[in-house]
Amino acid sequence: MTMQTSSTPATLSERKTVAIKVIGVGGAGLAVLARLIRSGLAGGGFAAVNTDAASLAASEAPEKLQLETRLLRGLGSGGDPDRGRTLAEENFPRLKSLCEGMDVIFIIAGLGGGAGTGISPVLARAAKETGALVIGFVMTPFDCEGPRRQRLALQGLTEFKAAADGLICLPNQKVFKLIDENTTALETFKITNEYLADGVRSFWRLLTCTGLIDIHLDDLCELLRDRHAESAFAVAEAVGPTRSREVAEKLLAHPMLDGGAMLAEADALMINILGGPDLTMAEVNRVMEQMNRHCEHAQVVMGAAIDEAFRDRLAVTVIATHKNLEPVAAPGSPRAGHEAPAQFVRQTIGARPAPGFGPPPPATSGSPATRSLAPETAASHQRRKPARLLQTQLPLESASKGRFDKSEPNIHEGEDLDLPTYVRRGVALN
Amino acid sequence: MFEPASSIIVGLEVGTSKVCAVVGDFGADGVLKIVGLGQAPSRGVRKGEIVDQELAEEDIRQAIAEAEQMADVEIRSVYLGVTGRHVRGFNNRGLHPIFSAEHEICEEDVQDVIKNAKSINLPTQNHVIHAIRQHFLVDDQDGISEPVGMLGSRLEVDVHVVHGNLNRLQNAIRTVKGLQLEVDDIVFNGLASALALLTTEQKELGSLVVDIGSGTTEYVVCSNGIIKHTGVLAVGGDHVSNDLACGLKTTLRRAERFKLEHGSAMVDDSIKGQTISIPNENGLAPKIINLEHLRRIMSLRLEEIFVLIGQDLDQTGALAYLRGGAFLCGGSARTPDVARLAEQVLQMPVSAGKTNTISGLKSALDQPEFATAIGLVKFGSFHHRRRAVKPSLAGNLKATLRQLPWLSRFL
């Protein structure tokens, strides 16, 4: 594999004064945190939160917070998110004081278990109350961990999403594309942890390194909010005079991006280019050109930053997110176990309005038919842009063609004229 | 000897919503008159092309029978209108050097240059329906309509070529031939409509004819008496109905009725909030629909048609020639306010076209949906006159004349 992750500590000569704290929650969160501490991200605080004393003791984090009652007898939450949640609610002031005085809080957790799933949403809320921006990095379980954990993870995701400003979710299952048959289970977990750590690191750099093209933090949060359903991220690095081309090629061939397919599907992309002081605009341009070509429809937020340590090197991080067709958090969604947490979220976080951000989704995020059938508010309807077909052969479902369903497609400059005009124009009728 | 049927000309349009046959007769005084009209609802056509031969045959038979009865003639051959998404038009230029001693251009040179202009690089499955002569150029001198007898070393000609997919064109011809009818010629529907609507003056001035049928919309630009541009959109009144059926969540048949009874191309503020209640019918539940939505859906679709036409004309530069404005025909031209909408979009005077280039049945001439069929008769009449007067003279129409035996070789 040609990909190479950048684990070099960022020696930041000029740093923006953003106070960042990385908080690992639960077993998985601590594991990722440990990697981050080891690679030494300068200029930020680390904290560990868990229910189980043993793992906390092993952690190198400077700040540790054990959520404990006699009930648990020091054995952790036992895979029950409710227990984790109750504990966190009880210790809400302590969580809050942990986040005090920070501008940005990264919360790292593995969902599906007790501590991570239960505590992290509450922690996010606590951090939010201190006035910090909250960005979550979460992993969802492997498929083989069973449907119960998957369900719990989804539930936790819903809660977390409502509480955090931005959320990046890495389904562990995706890591299977990176490993081969002979990878041991231990190594696999190591890889997933490293992967998430990479994501955190790239965000870190984004916020701390001198920006050539700054990504505004608000933009970032808007991008991530409400579309956490699945994210894929890829990091590629190259050295030498042809580095910009190499990096783009590596990214497009990256297994996590499905060889570029993920880019085409994505409806939001964050691309962060990190280079040394010798980074040229032409290089930035070349990388972005390649990326943009693959994701015409996505909303792209790009940034370029300079790090002294990256002389002659170029590292590009791509975070691609796309929405699930059915809104995961929709109350009354048919999936079991969804209603309860959604209600819980609404009650407990009443002060926080539901994320209202919704840029026009690309054509690929849902066929016009699904859209017109889904119950939507007038406001969300008006934001829609006309669906554009990528190719005439795409088997896009379009039930609203009615009489012309079986006839020769009528493509004119990428638009299927057989679809009702009002659907393509996104005119609301209600 | 005169055949009894030779003085009549029949135009047959196999449209998406109706099949229409119009009979023209030269009569005793030699003036062409419309004497018969037959029509039948069409079931085997989608977007201007036959998709069910059997149904189409039945409908054609019915329309022809009706026309025969009305005109009291026997129809043996027809001029068949063709259209569809595959039909395209473009301009081409042919060149022919004059080698004769004095550089005098003779009839043969004109023949050759037209032949050159027609020999275009088209895919083999495409067939040239029309190659309409525009202007000659003699040594770069533009705007010459009759070069024979002039002196020059280089003769050029601009032609407007309308071509389509050979197999699809043959499908239409085969269906008609299956009814023991001869096809005198095939004619692009848009051209026929333009012939029916435009007077000589309008053709000189520069006019656009938009024929919004059920399945397709054809548009033709005439300027300085020649065809400048033609185009087809596979969008028409059917799409309006389909949009309504989709948007109002009703059946296509009901949507069609709403369109005819309550439709309009413009959305006025006065209708905001108005509703129409539809009584129970054939077991369909009574329903209340919002008039504003109905018109909004229609308006968007019709607007889009004009926008697409406008874009195409803009791209080809044909927009600059249009001083006479635009004329609408076809069934959808009946939609209230459609001319006003077109005026807004195309930024030129738009009016409903009147078939005033031919005389005869008043009832047929006033209907915008018969323009194409009447135009077919008109096209046939040129043909007929040429044949009658100078059978051997080769003009621009000879090109189309010749296609027929060539086509029939493939049949």
Side-chain angles (χ1 to χ4, degrees):
Chain A
M1 201 170 103
T2 51
M3 210 219 50
Q4 179 188 358
T5 55
S6 64
S7 53
T8 325
T11 52
L12 309 164
S13 51
E14 301 165 77
R15 195 182 312 124
K16 285 180 275 179
T17 50
V18 183
I20 306 178
K21 190 177 265 183
V22 185
I23 305 177
V25 182
L30 289 188
V32 176
L33 192 69
R35 298 196 148 262
L36 285 170
I37 294 173
R38 222 164 296 145
S39 66
L41 280 176
F46 294 98
V49 178
N50 205 354
T51 49
D52 127 59
S55 69
L56 270 180
S59 170
E60 298 164 27
E63 282 182 83
K64 297 174 190 182
L65 178 62
Q66 194 195 357
L67 303 179
E68 174 67 302
T69 61
R70 268 166 298 140
L71 264 174
L72 299 182
R73 294 178 207 88
L75 291 175
S77 54
D80 183 355
D82 285 338
R83 251 184 242 173
R85 192 183 301 119
T86 323
L87 269 173
E89 294 285 356
E90 275 173 21
N91 292 292
F92 196 75
R94 287 173 72 196
L95 289 174
K96 213 168 145 180
S97 66
L98 194 68
C99 311
E100 211 68 66
M102 290 290 145
D103 295 321
V104 184
I105 300 280
F106 289 163
I107 298 173
I108 306 172
L111 297 181
T117 320
I119 297 171
S120 49
V122 184
L123 177 62
R125 190 150 45 87
K128 200 73 202 131
E129 279 186 22
T130 67
L133 267 164
V134 184
I135 298 176
F137 294 86
V138 297
M139 296 184 265
T140 53
F142 285 104
D143 286 353
C144 60
E145 289 178 61
R148 187 187 113 88
R149 276 176 87 87
Q150 285 289 0
R151 204 178 59 234
L152 290 177
L154 263 174
Q155 210 169 304
L157 202 62
T158 315
E159 289 173 37
F160 202 167
K161 176 193 149 202
D165 286 295
L167 193 65
I168 291 181
C169 173
L170 173 71
N172 271 349
Q173 194 65 28
K174 285 219 157 196
V175 176
F176 269 111
K177 289 178 194 153
L178 294 182
I179 58 175
D180 56 34
E181 284 284 299
N182 303 322
T183 314
T184 60
L186 210 60
E187 270 176 56
T188 308
F189 278 102
K190 222 181 252 173
I191 290 173
T192 63
N193 290 345
E194 186 52 46
Y195 223 82
L196 202 64
D198 268 337
V200 178
R201 241 181 250 126
S202 85
F203 260 78
W204 184 285
R205 288 202 206 106
L206 196 66
L207 296 175
T208 55
C209 290
T210 321
L212 191 67
I213 300 167
D214 269 325
I215 296 187
H216 202 269
L217 206 55
D218 290 344
D219 287 347
L220 201 62
C221 292
E222 278 199 342
L223 186 78
L224 295 172
R225 190 177 299 159
D226 203 24
R227 22 170 137 232
H228 63 287
E230 234 174 60
S231 314
F233 42 96
V235 183
E237 222 185 279
V239 185
T242 59
R243 55 194 182 173
S244 56
R245 196 167 303 124
E246 273 176 48
V247 157
E249 274 167 20
K250 277 183 189 175
L251 279 175
L252 293 178
H254 203 284
M256 287 299 268
L257 296 177
D258 288 341
M262 210 37 209
L263 291 177
E265 274 172 33
D267 65 353
L269 275 187
M270 191 204 79
I271 299 172
N272 185 26
I273 302 170
L274 186 69
D278 54 344
L279 178 71
T280 64
M281 200 60 209
E283 284 173 323
V284 175
N285 195 34
R286 205 169 302 143
V287 173
M288 289 311 293
E289 208 175 90
Q290 285 283 332
M291 295 293 120
N292 282 331
R293 198 174 304 155
H294 283 82
C295 50
E296 273 179 53
H297 304 288
Q299 186 200 6
V300 178
V301 170
M302 69 90 60
I306 302 295
D307 188 335
E308 278 295 338
F310 272 68
R311 192 171 288 279
D312 207 30
R313 270 166 60 193
L314 183 67
V316 178
T317 312
V318 176
I319 299 185
T321 62
H322 69 97
K323 260 187 194 156
N324 263 1
L325 285 186
E326 67 185 282
V328 177
S333 107
R335 277 202 225 160
H338 268 216
E339 255 171 75
Q343 276 160 8
F344 167 80
V345 166
R346 260 184 281 127
Q347 283 157 12
T348 50
I349 321 163
R352 207 191 130 79
F357 173 78
T364 41
S365 74
S367 71
T370 359
R371 273 200 241 147
S372 59
L373 293 176
E376 281 174 322
T377 62
S380 77
H381 223 308
Q382 269 155 9
R383 283 195 303 266
R384 306 279 184 195
K385 263 196 183 161
R388 279 187 60 207
L389 300 182
L390 288 171
Q391 275 180 350
T392 54
Q393 278 84 13
L394 271 183
L396 285 182
E397 185 194 341
S398 46
S400 50
K401 273 166 83 169
R403 177 180 170 86
F404 306 107
D405 218 3
K406 296 282 187 295
S407 68
E408 184 189 21
N410 211 346
I411 309 291
H412 184 274
E413 288 177 5
E415 276 189 280
D416 190 347
L417 298 182
D418 286 342
L419 287 174
T421 315
Y422 78 94
V423 170
R424 277 179 284 128
R425 297 282 156 83
V427 174
L429 298 173
N430 50 6
Chain B
M1 217 181 93
F2 250 156
E3 278 180 77
S6 67
S7 69
I8 66 159
I9 293 167
V10 182
L12 175 67
E13 187 206 0
V14 186
T16 309
S17 67
K18 59 155 182 32
V19 178
C20 175
V22 169
V23 184
D25 190 358
F26 278 110
D29 51 358
V31 177
L32 185 68
K33 266 188 185 163
I34 302 294
V35 293
L37 172 82
Q39 58 171 329
S42 175
R43 294 164 296 170
V45 180
R46 284 279 172 284
K47 294 184 192 168
E49 293 172 67
I50 292 172
V51 292
D52 186 328
Q53 290 223 358
E54 269 178 48
L55 282 178
E57 248 177 56
E58 242 173 73
D59 298 334
I60 295 170
R61 185 178 292 127
Q62 199 186 330
I64 291 279
E66 202 179 304
E68 279 181 334
Q69 202 172 16
M70 186 163 170
D72 195 21
V73 291
E74 192 194 336
I75 295 171
R76 290 187 186 168
S77 65
V78 296
Y79 284 88
L80 178 65
V82 291
T83 185
R85 206 171 157 254
H86 58 100
V87 179
R88 298 261 158 81
F90 68 93
N91 293 324
N92 195 39
R93 181 171 285 189
L95 188 143
H96 180 69
I98 310 294
F99 293 121
S100 63
E102 281 155 9
H103 291 302
E104 189 186 331
I105 298 163
C106 57
E107 188 62 47
E108 282 75 44
D109 295 321
V110 174
Q111 293 305 314
D112 283 345
V113 74
I114 292 175
K115 207 163 80 191
N116 289 345
K118 275 172 61 194
S119 58
I120 331 143
N121 242 340
L122 281 177
T124 47
Q125 73 270 20
N126 280 35
H127 168 69
V128 176
I129 305 170
H130 302 287
I132 308 151
R133 193 169 69 186
Q134 293 177 330
H135 283 301
F136 289 99
L137 291 92
V138 178
D139 290 349
D140 290 331
Q141 186 192 353
D142 204 347
I144 292 164
S145 48
E146 187 52 76
V148 174
M150 291 178 78
L151 300 182
S153 58
R154 196 177 56 175
L155 178 65
E156 285 170 280
V157 69
D158 282 330
V159 291
H160 186 76
V161 179
V162 181
H163 65 92
N165 185 302
L166 179 63
N167 290 331
R168 296 192 188 187
L169 294 172
Q170 278 179 344
N171 281 338
I173 297 172
R174 272 174 81 104
T175 312
V176 176
K177 289 211 167 169
L179 292 159
Q180 307 306 317
L181 285 169
E182 280 302 313
V183 176
D184 289 323
D185 204 346
I186 53 171
V187 185
F188 171 52
N189 277 353
L191 185 69
S193 303
L195 281 177
L197 293 193
L198 298 182
T199 59
T200 317
E201 194 187 346
Q202 284 160 344
K203 277 185 222 164
E204 281 296 327
L205 204 56
S207 304
L208 166 71
V209 172
V210 182
D211 181 342
I212 314 177
S214 269
T216 54
T217 298
E218 293 96 22
Y219 50 98
V220 172
V221 176
C222 279
S223 168
N224 296 327
I226 54 171
I227 306 281
K228 279 274 181 210
H229 185 72
T230 53
V232 185
L233 285 176
V235 181
D238 249 10
H239 285 79
V240 177
S241 304
N242 190 51
D243 288 6
L244 286 175
C246 172
L248 304 175
K249 300 190 177 54
T250 180
T251 59
L252 202 67
R253 215 162 53 97
R254 264 191 164 187
E256 186 85 31
R257 247 187 56 202
F258 292 158
K259 179 176 84 170
L260 297 179
E261 287 172 15
H262 305 285
S264 166
M266 302 280 278
V267 189
D268 289 321
D269 286 341
S270 59
I271 58 148
K272 274 222 162 76
Q274 279 188 43
T275 54
I276 320 161
S277 46
I278 310 298
N280 204 337
E281 167 205 300
N282 291 349
L284 292 172
K287 211 178 159 181
I288 293 176
I289 58 166
N290 188 324
L291 190 62
E292 192 193 340
H293 292 169
L294 188 149
R295 298 215 174 145
R296 175 85 57 205
I297 294 170
M298 286 184 73
S299 170
L300 282 168
R301 174 62 86 176
L302 290 168
E303 190 189 323
E304 185 184 56
I305 292 176
F306 292 121
V307 167
L308 291 176
I309 292 174
Q311 279 171 356
D312 186 32
L313 297 187
D314 200 25
Q315 264 171 25
T316 51
L319 218 47
Y321 298 107
L322 297 171
R323 284 167 297 153
F327 299 91
L328 305 181
C329 62
S332 295
R334 285 179 178 279
T335 315
D337 283 334
V338 69
R340 201 147 63 89
L341 176 78
E343 241 165 43
Q344 272 184 14
V345 177
L346 298 172
Q347 300 287 322
M348 63 176 82
V350 179
S351 57
K354 287 261 166 6
T355 334
N356 38 20
T357 59
I358 204 164
S359 61
L361 280 178
K362 200 82 190 112
S363 62
L365 296 177
D366 280 350
Q367 317 295 329
E369 57 265 47
F370 297 139
T372 304
I374 292 169
L376 290 171
V377 173
K378 179 116 180 164
F379 183 93
S381 74
F382 295 154
H383 212 139
H384 194 270
R385 269 187 213 134
R386 277 183 187 277
R387 203 164 34 178
V389 180
K390 285 184 190 170
S392 64
L393 179 80
N396 55 342
L397 287 170
K398 191 179 171 194
T400 41
L401 224 172
R402 228 192 270 138
Q403 283 156 17
L404 214 75
W406 180 77
L407 253 183
S408 45
R409 255 189 290 161
F410 288 85
L411 293 174

